[in-house]
Amino acid sequence: NAGVTQTPKFQVLKTGQSMTLQCAQDMNHNSMYWYRQDPGMGLRLIYYSASEGTTDKGEVPNGYNVSRLNKREFSLRLESAAPSQTSVYFCASSEGGGYQPQHFGDGTRLSIL
Amino acid sequence: KQEVTQIPAALSVPEGENLVLNCSFTDSAIYNLQWFRQDPGKGLTSLLLIQSSQREQTSGRLNASLDKSSGRSTLYIAASQPGDSATYLCAVGNYKLSFGAGTTVTVRA
């Protein structure tokens, strides 16, 4: 049971570089999410996709773009990485609606020098 | 903007003691409240979800209550075990979850 799979698990970038974080779920969930987790600040929502073909901004969308490639996959792109984007990034999915629990991947630890 | 607070930030108890974790939120117009567990270096695992129309949810040794009028939820873990050591986070919302910073629990054997 893979659940939510994130790649890569670790990445180091230089300021100004770009990269895409990948996320895939095998639970046939409709909704997918990207969060970042910083020490002492809890998780903050970057973008979410309520259903295939839709995406919406969360609390901290600046500097990021997302693509809902299909029902299974939801990617997060950093076009020009900045040190302030050093964080742990989590992808999550849920069946849909506001009354279903979210299931999380194990995260991508991203350092930007 | 919904603000979610968890106090204390850390808690250490001897094995067998009951755990009481607190979560408060500023906007009572919530869809649901979720409690998660996070182990070091891992993602979050959903423990309990309480819909806005419910007052509590139970799963095994875990019980979570919700009082929307006071903006509070409490997670009770009965008869704690060393394996319960983790960070516990609460979150409120629907699609857009607002998270607290978590309470890190250590259960001493």
Side-chain angles (χ1 to χ4, degrees):
Chain A
N1 294 333
V4 178
T5 302
Q6 293 184 235
T7 56
K9 296 188 184 303
F10 303 93
Q11 185 70 47
V12 178
L13 292 178
K14 294 181 179 179
T15 298
Q17 288 185 319
S18 63
M19 82 161 295
T20 299
L21 280 60
Q22 306 286 353
C23 175
Q25 52 91 8
D26 63 1
M27 296 173 282
N28 200 35
H29 285 170
N30 290 309
S31 303
M32 298 186 74
Y33 315 83
W34 276 106
Y35 294 90
R36 61 178 289 173
Q37 184 175 35
D38 301 292
M41 296 188 69
L43 279 81
R44 293 179 291 170
L45 182 65
I46 304 171
Y47 271 94
Y48 69 102
S49 172
S51 60
E52 186 178 359
T54 69
T55 60
D56 285 288
K57 295 178 181 180
E59 182 182 354
V60 288
N62 291 344
Y64 306 95
N65 286 301
V66 291
S67 295
R68 184 74 183 267
L69 305 171
N70 48 55
K71 191 171 185 180
R72 291 186 63 249
E73 299 173 287
F74 189 38
S75 63
L76 178 72
R77 183 163 178 83
L78 286 71
E79 291 290 352
S80 179
S84 62
Q85 294 178 304
T86 293
S87 188
V88 181
Y89 291 85
F90 289 100
C91 177
S93 69
S94 68
E95 290 186 17
Y99 298 110
Q100 303 297 327
Q102 294 187 14
H103 300 261
F104 283 73
D106 282 343
T108 293
R109 284 144 187 83
L110 181 62
S111 293
I112 299 164
L113 307 176
Chain B
K1 178 179 180 291
Q2 179 74 267
E3 300 287 344
V4 181
T5 303
Q6 292 184 251
I7 296 174
L11 185 61
S12 179
V13 300
E15 182 177 4
E17 189 167 302
N18 295 332
L19 282 164
V20 180
L21 306 179
N22 298 304
C23 172
S24 61
F25 47 93
T26 55
D27 186 350
S28 62
I30 63 171
Y31 278 70
N32 67 58
L33 185 143
Q34 298 185 47
W35 282 95
F36 294 89
R37 169 184 172 137
Q38 185 175 27
D39 293 294
K42 295 293 187 181
L44 281 66
T45 300
S46 180
L47 297 174
L48 291 168
L49 182 150
I50 311 175
Q51 296 183 16
S52 60
S53 59
Q54 298 175 321
R55 295 298 298 268
E56 67 175 350
Q57 279 286 346
T58 298
S59 177
R61 293 185 295 113
L62 277 59
N63 174 276
S65 65
L66 174 64
D67 183 344
K68 286 200 306 178
S69 62
S70 66
R72 293 181 182 177
S73 177
T74 302
L75 177 66
Y76 299 90
I77 303 177
S80 61
Q81 305 168 358
D84 294 328
S85 298
T87 297
Y88 293 83
L89 298 102
C90 70
V92 298
N94 50 4
Y95 291 106
K96 294 185 176 184
L97 287 180
S98 296
F99 280 82
T103 296
T104 299
V105 171
T106 302
V107 180
R108 308 185 304 271

